[in-house]
Amino acid sequence: MNKTIIVSNRLPLQVKLDNNELEVVPSVGGLATGMRSVHKEGDGVWIGWSGLTEEELDESLEKRVDEAVAREGCAAVNLNSDDIDNYYYGFSNRTLWPLFHYFMEFTEFENTYWEAYKRVNEKFAEVVLENIEEGDNVWIHDYQLLLLPKLIKDKHPETSIGFFLHIPFPSYEIFRSFPWREEILEGMLGADLLGFHTYDYERHFLSSVKRILRLDVKFNQITYHDRIIKVDSFPMGIDYAKFENAAKKHMEQTEKEKSDLQKRLDDHIEEGAKSTLVLSIDRLDYTKGIPNRIRAFEYFLNKYPEFKQRVRLVMLAVPSRSNVPQYQRLKRETDELVGRVNGEFATVSWTPIWYFYRSLPFDNLIDLYTSADVALITPVRDGMNLVAKEYVATRTKQDGVLILSEMAGASKEMNEALLINPNNFEEIADTLKRAIEMPVAEQQSRNAILQKRLRRYSVEKWASEFMRSLQETKKIKKRIVSKRLTKKRKEKMFKAYKNASSRLLLLDYDGTLTGFKDNPQSAFPDEDLFTLLDSLYDHDNTDIIIVSGRDKETFEKWFGDKNYSLITDHGVWLKRHHKDWEPLERLKTEWMDNIRPILETFVDRTPGTFIEEKKYSLAWHYRKADPELAQIRTMELQTVLTGLIANDDLSVLDGNKVMEIKSSRVNKGTAVSRVLAEKHYDFIFCIGDDWTDEYMFEEMPSDAYTVKVGFKKTKARFYVNSNEEVREMLSSFNELE
Ligand code: GDG
């Protein structure tokens, strides 16, 4: 049975070394739970760092760690302290983390970090490659491993690779500032399925892919070389049953079974029927909006003094990344703010903020969740935020109010919570008052809806939906009809070429014989192309026709003195060798005076676009325009033109980043079919890259070698990846005689 290889920075294990004694305890975190069934199926393996550096392990210990983690279905990636400093604390937590959470001022672009990040991603790749077998799936997690999908795909193109990002993907305006933006995107695009928590992160990612890599994106699919990559949102859930059951059990505990923490919390509750516990739990991270929250609480106490003595904020801040300077500063700031507020408001019987800076055992977490009347979760940015979901899951009586920042991914699914902007103290203060005073019936109706959704879309469901979607991507691959012109197929074609007694090569120009330039005027043929075409023409019994949408004046200038034939203006003009240009169609051009002003208004409103005026057609080029604006404008232009073109027998061709308006009677297909009718060929090679070339493919006999450049839906029998590959292929034809 095929297995799934799960990869994350840390293994889901606590590996402890005490006096040379090794202790390995499986973690109980949300991700580990979600992945449990994926991990178990078909002997899956989980790859990650054990938490011990190479410096802490000698050879025999390393072997023992490997064996111990192997017993848990895991494989360890060995990292040294330099890796941890530069890849983990460096690039991951001083570069990617702040940038992806919109903290540009904290982002450090350090080459040493980047080099370590690449090196460590390769270390992970090595371990994955050691464990991979044919038919396996790979699921990679999070921002520490953005380069890994490509490293695996390059070695194992047939493996299905999924990637999930647990933090936000920032807007293009932020991401564009990143020095290694192309490498990061290309790294991620090694995956077949890319998952994000929310649709916003998904569209930010797609926007960067479109603008930075200039790739074609249709809905949520990216065409990249010969692959289709799917991008989707999968909002991560929690282990609902675990929190619900723990809360139920908690409610039944006797006085004796209660923890010290619970007893203290009970004391507060007994202080008066009107007393309220407000809870916040987060890692001490600048993204979590902890100082904001304290200030907003201070503002609340000043604005609504009637709540003094009655409301207490219980704040659990879990130590995190404490050797990164920003975290040390945040710790100091938090300590000071808590001190200030407590100093300002405390009375002999009341301290407004109870502040815990530590990690608590799970049972204490449940004490807090079940005792809190209000949860105040105010991150300034947060990929998802599971604490918000866990709080709701523990409310067995469906009471309690969740106040949640709209900057947390969770807010997208938790509309029944009270959503706030974490920078708006006025709103937070008013919302806190509203939460404290909310009738229980309203609390229950809100939580009922939230619980229903959280129970259904649990972390297990999240994992299985992701895996199902990854399996689906295999079907997308099969849906593409044309076949790759592989080495073997090329050899067969070369043999047919060699054996033929009369050959025809029909070659499109832009995007096929040459790459695209920003301006079509500068895409003139290079010397190598001339040499190649000239010597191909010298082959016996070989006709070459360049078939283009370009105008005859340009082609006359470029190829006028050549022997091969030319078809221009999408099939209006034909020039046979040593002959004059002959028109294949007699066309009117009066319509242009009506259409041109319309196109000009589109140029004015769409920076980066321009009109190319040809003898028989008008082309609006948008290659350099913002891809999203261009998409809107092309639809708009289609609509505007529809009413106008019908009378004049015109049609609109949607080419490769160009829309061209021309007579419906003319196309490359009609033109080449005339040539085919005049002479019999026993080898036909017809190649092109865009929509207009499809007309040629349609007219070709079934045994012709019709080839599309690029991986798109086509009527051609085969496809190749790029115009560089076209050149190589023509050179191979050339060497056959
Ligand atoms: C990242 C993204 C995204 C907290 N304190 C204690 C404790 N916890 C547990 C909570 C919760 C988890 O830690 C925290 O998860 P969050 O989602 O709130 O936040 P991050 O750690 O920043 O996680 C985040 C997440 O990845 C998943 O994709 O939601 O946006 O930043 O489960 O219960 N657990 C125990 N003691 C504590 O003191 N035992």
Side-chain angles (χ1 to χ4, degrees):
M1 189 177 185
N2 300 337
K3 66 176 184 294
T4 298
I5 299 180
I6 304 163
V7 198
S8 62
N9 173 52
R10 283 295 294 271
L11 285 174
L13 305 168
Q14 302 274 354
V15 183
K16 284 191 204 132
L17 191 61
D18 203 3
N19 270 336
N20 217 20
E21 276 304 307
L22 203 61
E23 198 195 351
V24 176
V25 189
S27 317
V28 284
L31 185 62
T33 313
M35 303 305 289
R36 198 180 294 141
S37 58
V38 180
H39 191 191
K40 289 280 168 299
E41 207 167 306
D43 272 340
V45 46
W46 193 318
I47 292 170
W49 180 49
S50 69
L52 297 173
T53 58
E54 275 170 15
E55 287 80 354
E56 291 170 278
L57 300 169
D58 58 26
E59 212 170 294
S60 91
L61 257 176
E62 191 180 307
K63 200 160 159 255
R64 276 165 58 203
V65 170
D66 285 348
E67 284 162 6
V69 300
R71 279 195 290 277
E72 302 293 335
C74 296
V77 179
N78 292 325
L79 301 183
N80 56 40
S81 55
D82 183 61
D83 294 335
I84 293 304
D85 285 347
N86 292 301
Y87 141 83
Y88 181 70
Y89 288 112
F91 201 77
S92 300
N93 288 330
R94 290 184 188 215
T95 310
L96 291 171
W97 179 271
L99 189 78
F100 279 35
H101 285 89
Y102 296 73
F103 281 80
M104 294 266 310
E105 70 280 21
F106 289 176
T107 307
E108 295 172 33
F109 298 126
E110 269 292 330
N111 211 40
T112 342
Y113 295 166
W114 169 239
E115 290 302 323
Y117 188 77
K118 286 194 287 186
R119 179 180 76 231
V120 172
N121 270 257
E122 271 161 24
K123 285 191 179 184
F124 272 80
E126 262 170 46
V127 183
V128 174
L129 296 175
E130 278 162 21
N131 282 276
I132 212 164
E133 288 163 313
E134 209 186 306
D136 285 353
N137 301 308
V138 179
W139 184 356
I140 302 162
H141 290 266
D142 229 358
Y143 65 104
Q144 300 91 351
L145 301 172
L146 296 171
L147 303 177
L148 187 56
K150 181 178 190 302
L151 294 173
I152 302 171
K153 185 56 92 182
D154 285 350
K155 294 272 161 39
H156 282 265
E158 295 309 320
T159 300
S160 287
I161 304 173
F163 179 88
F164 188 83
L165 187 70
H166 288 260
I167 65 172
F169 193 92
S171 133
Y172 161 71
E173 285 301 334
I174 295 281
F175 188 71
R176 67 189 301 197
S177 64
F178 195 53
W180 306 281
R181 58 197 182 183
E182 284 88 0
E183 289 93 326
I184 292 287
L185 291 177
E186 282 163 5
M188 293 174 80
L189 290 181
D192 301 286
L193 172 67
L194 287 143
F196 299 89
H197 281 305
T198 72
Y199 174 65
D200 282 341
Y201 310 153
E202 175 189 336
R203 75 184 167 76
H204 289 156
F205 173 74
L206 289 174
S207 161
S208 279
V209 165
K210 274 190 262 188
R211 292 183 162 87
I212 295 168
L213 299 182
R214 293 252 150 206
L215 295 182
D216 277 336
V217 176
K218 288 243 162 63
F219 301 107
N220 62 345
Q221 294 188 352
I222 305 168
T223 309
Y224 185 49
H225 302 309
D226 60 348
R227 300 194 295 120
I228 301 238
I229 298 160
K230 196 174 155 195
V231 182
D232 213 339
S233 53
F234 302 86
M236 187 175 173
I238 56 166
D239 185 353
Y240 193 88
K242 176 176 155 189
F243 283 89
E244 186 183 32
N245 294 337
K248 279 186 181 154
K249 223 172 112 203
H250 179 93
M251 293 320 220
E252 287 158 11
Q253 67 191 356
T254 60
E255 205 53 37
K256 251 176 86 186
E257 287 167 335
K258 284 185 179 173
S259 67
D260 287 345
L261 176 66
Q262 186 61 58
K263 286 180 192 152
R264 290 283 316 274
L265 293 166
D266 287 350
D267 288 346
H268 171 91
I269 295 163
E270 274 157 24
E271 274 167 21
K274 284 191 161 176
S275 69
T276 306
L277 268 187
V278 178
L279 173 69
S280 76
I281 298 184
D282 0 53
R283 275 187 307 101
L284 191 83
D285 194 298
Y286 49 79
T287 61
K288 304 287 182 182
I290 296 169
N292 274 9
R293 185 184 307 144
I294 303 172
R295 288 198 186 95
F297 187 61
E298 179 184 35
Y299 187 81
F300 163 79
L301 291 176
N302 278 320
K303 185 170 181 188
Y304 299 109
E306 65 271 31
F307 289 106
K308 285 183 193 168
Q309 302 274 5
R310 284 172 45 198
V311 177
R312 175 168 285 146
L313 173 63
V314 181
M315 207 173 80
L316 173 62
V318 180
S320 174
R321 305 170 196 168
S322 43
N323 51 354
V324 176
Q326 279 94 16
Y327 290 75
Q328 294 161 357
R329 251 179 274 143
L330 175 67
K331 166 78 173 56
R332 278 199 299 277
E333 190 185 359
T334 307
D335 290 351
E336 278 167 23
L337 279 169
V338 171
R340 185 174 92 194
V341 175
N342 281 344
E344 193 181 341
F345 295 100
T347 63
V348 276
S349 56
W350 175 66
T351 325
I353 305 177
W354 276 355
Y355 168 44
F356 300 87
Y357 175 65
R358 75 194 75 143
S359 168
L360 293 179
F362 179 73
D363 286 343
N364 283 156
L365 214 61
I366 298 296
D367 293 339
L368 289 173
Y369 281 146
T370 50
S371 306
D373 308 288
V374 176
L376 182 61
I377 316 284
T378 59
V380 282
R381 288 284 162 187
D382 210 339
M384 172 52 75
N385 196 298
L386 300 178
V387 169
K389 295 186 169 182
E390 291 167 5
Y391 173 69
V392 172
T394 59
R395 308 306 300 176
T396 49
K397 294 191 190 130
Q398 298 190 326
D399 59 349
V401 183
L402 170 64
I403 301 177
L404 178 60
S405 162
E406 61 193 39
M407 305 296 173
S411 69
K412 301 282 169 216
E413 312 156 66
M414 301 184 90
N415 254 312
E416 294 74 17
L418 300 183
L419 301 183
I420 50 100
N421 174 346
N423 303 309
N424 186 342
F425 293 175
E426 200 71 45
E427 189 186 28
I428 299 179
D430 295 347
T431 308
L432 200 48
K433 180 172 186 289
R434 185 176 164 206
I436 296 167
E437 293 173 344
M438 188 184 281
V440 175
E442 184 183 344
Q443 299 177 17
Q444 288 174 329
S445 74
R446 286 171 181 271
N447 286 333
I449 304 170
L450 288 170
Q451 288 184 347
K452 191 170 167 211
R453 196 168 36 243
L454 294 178
R455 186 179 284 121
R456 225 184 76 73
Y457 205 83
S458 64
V459 70
E460 292 91 343
K461 178 90 175 159
W462 165 81
S464 66
E465 282 291 304
F466 186 92
M467 285 309 291
R468 195 179 54 80
S469 196
L470 184 59
Q471 300 302 339
E472 290 277 309
T473 61
K474 294 182 186 164
K475 290 189 200 147
I476 308 179
K477 284 183 207 160
K478 288 195 187 126
R479 247 180 271 144
I480 305 296
V481 277
S482 72
K483 293 185 217 142
R484 170 115 178 87
L485 197 50
T486 52
K487 200 165 164 234
K488 212 163 143 200
R489 292 191 179 116
K490 277 181 194 156
E491 270 156 22
K492 198 169 161 214
M493 176 175 78
F494 294 143
K495 207 161 150 200
Y497 179 92
K498 216 168 153 55
N499 294 337
S501 51
S502 174
R503 307 153 181 150
L504 174 63
L505 306 182
L506 294 164
L507 313 170
D508 165 54
Y509 182 73
D510 293 274
T512 302
L513 291 181
T514 180
F516 280 103
K517 300 284 180 317
D518 289 336
N519 185 332
Q521 303 313 326
S522 57
F524 40 79
D526 51 277
E527 275 312 310
D528 287 350
L529 181 64
F530 282 132
T531 320
L532 185 58
L533 292 174
D534 287 348
S535 56
L536 267 172
Y537 182 79
D538 287 343
H539 287 197
D540 287 341
N541 305 316
T542 306
D543 291 342
I544 297 179
I545 310 180
I546 305 182
V547 190
S548 174
R550 292 218 175 228
D551 58 33
K552 86 178 201 303
E553 287 69 24
T554 306
F555 262 36
E556 175 63 36
K557 208 158 52 193
W558 290 350
F559 300 108
D561 59 342
K562 299 291 175 191
N563 293 321
Y564 31 86
S565 305
L566 309 168
I567 290 177
T568 64
D569 303 271
H570 290 293
V572 179
W573 291 98
L574 167 69
K575 183 177 189 302
R576 297 170 206 262
H577 52 105
H578 307 309
K579 299 236 175 80
D580 278 341
W581 288 93
E582 57 180 287
L584 294 171
E585 295 281 348
R586 301 240 168 252
L587 292 175
K588 289 196 241 154
T589 52
E590 294 78 18
W591 58 269
M592 285 188 177
D593 294 335
N594 299 330
I595 303 288
R596 190 182 305 102
I598 297 170
L599 293 186
E600 279 162 358
T601 68
F602 276 77
V603 170
D604 293 341
R605 293 185 303 128
T606 322
T609 68
F610 61 91
I611 301 169
E612 187 190 2
E613 192 147 339
K614 304 185 189 180
K615 261 252 163 59
Y616 302 99
S617 69
L618 289 172
W620 179 63
H621 289 265
Y622 56 87
R623 176 165 302 278
K624 280 187 84 179
D626 178 285
E628 269 159 26
L629 179 61
Q631 198 182 0
I632 295 167
R633 292 284 192 252
T634 50
M635 282 192 286
E636 212 181 306
L637 184 57
Q638 284 277 10
T639 318
V640 172
L641 291 175
T642 310
L644 295 168
I645 58 176
N647 296 340
D648 288 312
D649 197 15
L650 299 173
S651 52
V652 182
L653 293 186
D654 203 355
N656 198 332
K657 306 279 191 298
V658 56
M659 278 174 81
E660 185 154 0
I661 300 105
K662 53 175 262 317
S663 162
S664 305
R665 295 211 310 275
V666 178
N667 65 52
K668 290 181 177 179
T670 327
V672 293
S673 61
R674 291 198 184 200
V675 178
L676 288 183
E678 288 168 10
K679 187 170 166 186
H680 175 75
Y681 294 98
D682 56 1
F683 177 89
I684 301 174
F685 175 79
C686 173
I687 187 161
D689 72 306
D690 79 10
W691 205 84
T692 63
D693 302 308
E694 294 295 318
Y695 287 113
M696 286 201 286
F697 300 146
E698 272 175 19
E699 296 298 327
M700 292 299 121
S702 59
D703 60 349
Y705 281 90
T706 46
V707 184
K708 179 94 170 175
V709 184
F711 192 59
K712 289 192 197 114
K713 205 160 174 254
T714 179
K715 296 210 166 70
R717 289 168 63 205
F718 305 102
Y719 77 90
V720 292
N721 274 336
S722 61
N723 59 293
E724 286 85 11
E725 198 178 338
V726 178
R727 289 277 181 108
E728 280 165 27
M729 216 160 42
L730 292 179
S731 306
S732 305
F733 276 133
N734 199 18
E735 283 155 19
L736 293 172
E737 273 204 356

